[in-house]
Amino acid sequence: MSKRPLYEEIKETLIARLASDQWRPGELLPSELKLAETFEVSQGTVRRALDELVSQGLLARHQGRGTAVTKHTPFGFFHLFRDDGARELPESKTLRISVNAASRSERDALELGPAKKVIRITRVRYLNLEPKIFETIALPKELFSPIAKLDARDLPNTVYNFYEREFGIPVVGKRERLRACSASQMESRYLAVDVGTSLLEIECLAYSHRRQPIELRISRCLTDEHYYCNPTD
Amino acid sequence: MSKRPLYEEIKETLIARLASDQWRPGELLPSELKLAETFEVSQGTVRRALDELVSQGLLARHQGRGTAVTKHTPFGFFHLFRDDGARELPESKTLRISVNAASRSERDALELGPAKKVIRITRVRYLNLEPKIFETIALPKELFSPIAKLDARDLPNTVYNFYEREFGIPVVGKRERLRACSASQMESRYLAVDVGTSLLEIECLAYSHRRQPIELRISRCLTDEHYYCNPTD
DNA sequence: CAGTGGTCTAGACCACGGA
DNA sequence: CCGTGGTCTAGACCACTGG
């Protein structure tokens, strides 16, 4: 006997099935009527559950066609805009892939036990062919160990899709924290600016279903010609 | 004859009435049943309109009591957190209130014609008693001219509430753009740091109903002990 | 064309708040 | 206690998609 609304339970069940890959991204779910039958509720109730999952970005509805699992990892997930408001897709050049002991902050963010290891990826990202972002990515080694053996050239530049395609781990959410910082020696070299130049630091923690943390990414951005805009609309 | 959904029209009507101050912040709207009668639709339809206004933050519902107009201008509108995750309320010290010709960027953001004037307010904001933010606020003079005559000491530090209370102009939304920048001489003096120190610049455009721009605010923040976190959750 | 989601109705019962 | 919003049902008709 639970006192929770039916649509909450249905939502949870659907999320669990999504997490267990019962339906693949792009695939169509059963129709509302079908779902209503199987859950033994009315169409309106299942509709409410679906609506909330849509607003969470997990599903997408198409009138006349059906309800589909979103291929996650939108871009639209990339929040740097040119000063004139245009958006540009970044190119990436991976510098290095290595395995290290997780730092304190990485353990905290990724919820790793002590002595756990992370795969660390460093890369430079280009906007309009100019180096603008110096990026460090930390991944739990237990989840992604095959990546450690990859050649830097073979890492695709849209890694979220890669995680989903190769490991079945979709990124469904993120949390970002922003600060100002100063360019280190290495950053200054790769971004072709003076040491100490002001950079925008974006610390982004990506997580999958059940809010399991997947990736900690620290991007340090030159914002001389770009700005960060959050998705508040 | 419009082909738009009924709840959209109802939503628009309600927004118009809110904009015209038919109901004051904190006041209770008529019940769903009453509204359904007056609009000659079913309760479910009016409910959907209300739900969307709630998710836009214009209304708040309370089971057993009714649906109320939100007093806008939350805090929760303030996005700087201490590194340990705690949130602090900023104190303010207003330095100067003046009237100037609007700059190019102010005219663009506030949608002002040429030769229009703005009221410009500069202030320092303190977190935990330490100066952390240097802030410049630009307001269209036509909307807020009484402010120009105010003594700097008389400006409250939660100005959004002030706009709503004194001018009947509620802030219902904002758009933020972030960059890294370097402390100018004046900023370095008030924030007690070296010239050139990296600061986080938050450019915030606040608007009222019908997306009318109200205020352009540029906050330059020391992020040595704080971070910015956007409301993506 | 059949099947889907999108809108809308008119009821029902419950949980909560305030008088 | 009554009136409120919160949930849920079982229908209806429409608009769109695809074969």
Side-chain angles (χ1 to χ4, degrees):
Chain A
M1 273 303 97
S2 74
K3 335 175 62 271
R4 297 172 49 222
L6 284 178
Y7 64 84
E8 286 288 352
E9 309 211 14
I10 293 173
K11 226 171 70 177
E12 206 163 273
T13 307
L14 289 174
I15 288 179
R17 296 195 186 173
L18 289 172
S20 70
D21 267 339
Q22 173 156 352
W23 300 295
R24 305 293 306 176
E27 198 173 334
L28 257 49
L29 265 61
S31 73
E32 295 182 350
L33 253 4
K34 283 275 177 38
L35 287 172
E37 270 176 33
T38 68
F39 287 114
E40 299 182 294
V41 298
S42 79
Q43 185 185 3
T45 302
V46 88
R47 166 169 279 270
R48 168 132 188 203
L50 292 176
D51 279 342
E52 302 207 358
L53 293 178
V54 166
S55 77
Q56 280 179 36
L58 297 183
L59 301 178
R61 328 188 71 171
H62 304 280
Q63 186 172 88
R65 189 146 63 90
T67 303
V69 183
T70 51
K71 326 152 235 337
H72 295 106
T73 319
F75 73 92
F77 253 31
F78 188 72
H79 295 141
L80 275 195
F81 294 80
R82 228 164 51 197
D83 280 338
D84 62 16
R87 83 182 311 155
E88 292 174 302
L89 281 193
E91 284 301 311
S92 302
K93 180 176 159 199
T94 301
L95 302 175
R96 189 152 184 268
I97 300 178
S98 60
V99 177
N100 307 80
S103 70
R104 172 69 197 284
S105 58
E106 286 164 347
R107 286 205 313 272
D108 287 350
L110 297 172
E111 297 174 7
L112 298 175
K116 291 289 186 178
K117 299 201 163 189
V118 293
I119 300 168
R120 217 174 269 150
I121 302 169
T122 53
R123 56 182 189 170
V124 184
R125 312 199 75 178
Y126 298 79
L127 293 170
N128 193 27
L129 302 182
E130 293 179 4
K132 293 292 189 185
I133 306 172
F134 187 92
E135 200 163 81
T136 305
I137 296 176
L139 301 166
K141 181 162 184 295
E142 0 180 44
L143 288 178
F144 295 100
S145 62
I147 291 184
K149 301 185 196 69
L150 236 54
D151 188 283
R153 289 188 305 272
D154 297 331
L155 192 77
N157 65 2
T158 75
V159 288
Y160 286 175
N161 289 323
F162 181 66
Y163 301 156
E164 174 158 350
R165 197 173 60 245
E166 298 299 320
F167 300 91
I169 303 178
V171 173
V172 304
K174 46 162 51 174
R175 176 220 78 188
E176 293 182 323
R177 296 178 171 177
L178 287 81
R179 292 181 190 81
C181 67
S182 295
S184 70
Q185 195 155 11
M186 185 181 305
E187 288 154 1
S188 70
R189 192 166 68 228
Y190 283 107
L191 300 179
V193 295
D194 293 335
V195 171
T197 299
S198 297
L199 302 178
L200 178 66
E201 176 180 289
I202 307 174
E203 175 195 306
C204 176
L205 179 67
Y207 41 85
S208 191
H209 297 297
R210 299 150 193 273
R211 298 189 80 87
Q212 181 187 17
I214 291 305
E215 177 207 75
L216 180 66
R217 178 184 299 208
I218 294 181
S219 307
R220 296 187 156 205
C221 315
L222 253 181
T223 54
D224 54 339
E225 300 175 311
H226 295 78
Y227 61 83
Y228 171 97
C229 187
N230 65 32
T232 316
D233 250 35
Chain B
M1 279 305 98
S2 71
K3 338 175 58 276
R4 297 171 50 221
L6 284 178
Y7 65 82
E8 285 288 352
E9 309 211 13
I10 293 173
K11 225 171 70 178
E12 205 163 275
T13 307
L14 289 175
I15 288 179
R17 294 195 189 174
L18 289 172
S20 70
D21 267 340
Q22 174 157 349
W23 299 295
R24 305 292 306 176
E27 198 173 333
L28 257 51
L29 265 61
S31 75
E32 295 182 350
L33 252 4
K34 284 277 179 33
L35 288 172
E37 271 177 31
T38 67
F39 287 115
E40 299 183 294
V41 297
S42 80
Q43 186 186 3
T45 302
V46 89
R47 168 170 277 268
R48 166 133 189 203
L50 292 177
D51 279 343
E52 301 208 357
L53 293 178
V54 166
S55 76
Q56 281 180 33
L58 296 182
L59 301 178
R61 328 189 69 170
H62 303 280
Q63 186 173 90
R65 190 148 63 90
T67 303
V69 182
T70 51
K71 329 150 233 344
H72 296 105
T73 316
F75 73 91
F77 252 32
F78 188 72
H79 295 141
L80 274 195
F81 294 80
R82 226 164 53 197
D83 279 337
D84 61 16
R87 82 182 314 154
E88 292 175 303
L89 282 191
E91 285 300 310
S92 302
K93 181 174 158 198
T94 302
L95 302 174
R96 188 153 183 268
I97 301 178
S98 60
V99 175
N100 307 81
S103 71
R104 173 68 198 285
S105 58
E106 286 164 347
R107 285 205 314 271
D108 287 349
L110 296 170
E111 297 174 9
L112 298 174
K116 291 289 185 176
K117 298 202 164 188
V118 292
I119 300 168
R120 218 173 268 149
I121 301 170
T122 54
R123 58 182 187 169
V124 185
R125 312 199 74 177
Y126 298 79
L127 293 170
N128 193 28
L129 302 181
E130 292 179 6
K132 292 292 187 184
I133 307 172
F134 187 92
E135 199 163 80
T136 306
I137 296 176
L139 301 166
K141 181 163 185 295
E142 0 179 45
L143 288 178
F144 295 99
S145 62
I147 291 184
K149 300 186 196 71
L150 236 53
D151 188 284
R153 289 186 305 272
D154 297 331
L155 192 77
N157 65 2
T158 76
V159 289
Y160 286 175
N161 289 322
F162 181 66
Y163 302 156
E164 173 159 349
R165 197 172 61 245
E166 299 297 321
F167 300 92
I169 303 178
V171 173
V172 303
K174 46 160 55 174
R175 176 221 77 189
E176 293 182 324
R177 296 178 172 179
L178 287 81
R179 293 182 189 83
C181 66
S182 295
S184 69
Q185 194 153 12
M186 186 181 304
E187 288 154 1
S188 71
R189 193 167 66 229
Y190 282 106
L191 299 179
V193 295
D194 293 335
V195 171
T197 298
S198 297
L199 301 178
L200 176 66
E201 176 181 288
I202 307 173
E203 176 195 305
C204 175
L205 179 67
Y207 41 83
S208 191
H209 297 297
R210 298 150 196 276
R211 297 188 81 86
Q212 182 187 17
I214 290 305
E215 177 207 75
L216 180 67
R217 178 183 302 206
I218 294 181
S219 307
R220 295 185 157 206
C221 315
L222 253 181
T223 53
D224 54 340
E225 300 176 311
H226 294 79
Y227 61 84
Y228 170 97
C229 187
N230 66 31
T232 315
D233 249 36

